[in-house]
Amino acid sequence: PTPTPTPTPTPPPPPPAPEVYEMSELSYDVLGDGSDPEVRLGDSSWVWQRYGMSIGGERYSTGVTVHGDSSVTVDLNRECTAYDALVGVDDMTLGLGKVAFAVYGDGARLWQSGTVSGGDPAVPVHVNLTGRKTVRLVAESRGGAFDQAALADWARSRFSCG
């Protein structure tokens, strides 16, 4: 008799790809339904959700722009695994301004840049958000009178969530 072949076990399906939420498309908490990441209006500085910006001569398609001294809080409202962006001083400031960037999760600093000057290339940001409920994006001017008026960019700013 011919032996019966042993069936090959079927591998489990891959986990679903994370859903990506662009910061430039997030709702504000007063308009959202609390199921997706939302900008907390009461705890956030001015935010310009943009399509098209430039840092260090490099163009980026999406992101947000804030003042040199700012804090923007995002309520994640779901399990998220990562925050990614490219940060720098917007080229509209004509090479002027110095800003430092930081990312906080539930009040703990998770990442910080050094001082980034106008005209410098963008600095990549990657932060693990596993288990976090809120994210705060902070930009701080670094001294000069023009630095507070500098436009700080969080280009390709996005949250990866399950």
Side-chain angles (χ1 to χ4, degrees), residues 63-87:
V64 296
T65 298
V66 295
H67 288 298
D69 280 318
S70 67
S71 173
V72 178
T73 300
V74 175
D75 291 309
L76 297 175
N77 295 323
R78 58 180 39 233
E79 285 296 318
C80 296
T81 55
Y83 171 74
D84 293 280
L86 293 154
V87 298

Side-chain angles (χ1 to χ4, degrees), residues 91-112:
D91 287 342
M92 284 193 295
T93 61
L94 307 175
L96 300 172
K98 293 181 180 70
V99 179
F101 296 84
V103 179
Y104 292 80
D106 298 337
R109 188 173 64 212
L110 305 176
W111 178 89
Q112 73 178 48

Side-chain angles (χ1 to χ4, degrees), residues 3-140:
T4 307
T6 306
T8 307
T10 305
E19 193 161 350
V20 175
Y21 293 88
E22 298 279 347
M23 182 81 178
S24 58
E25 297 175 359
L26 295 186
S27 296
Y28 289 89
D29 58 356
V30 294
L31 303 172
D33 64 7
S35 64
D36 293 329
E38 297 170 344
V39 176
R40 189 185 302 166
L41 197 55
D43 285 344
S44 296
S45 308
W46 171 81
V47 178
W48 180 11
Q49 295 175 311
R50 294 180 66 189
Y51 300 93
M53 58 184 48
S54 181
I55 302 169
E58 185 80 23
R59 300 268 314 147
Y60 299 96
S61 58
T62 62
V64 296
T65 298
V66 295
H67 288 298
D69 280 318
S70 67
S71 173
V72 178
T73 300
V74 175
D75 291 309
L76 297 175
N77 295 323
R78 58 180 39 233
E79 285 296 318
C80 296
T81 55
Y83 171 74
D84 293 280
L86 293 154
V87 298
V89 178
D90 194 284
D91 287 342
M92 284 193 295
T93 61
L94 307 175
L96 300 172
K98 293 181 180 70
V99 179
F101 296 84
V103 179
Y104 292 80
D106 298 337
R109 188 173 64 212
L110 305 176
W111 178 89
Q112 73 178 48
S113 71
T115 298
V116 182
S117 298
D120 286 354
V123 176
V125 180
H126 175 78
V127 177
N128 182 336
L129 296 180
T130 303
R132 305 291 179 174
K133 305 240 179 285
T134 64
V135 172
R136 191 164 57 99
L137 307 177
V138 175
E140 296 176 320

Side-chain angles (χ1 to χ4, degrees), residues 69 98 140-148:
D69 280 318
K98 293 181 180 70
E140 296 176 320
S141 63
R142 286 297 188 217
F146 189 79
D147 295 346
Q148 291 179 350

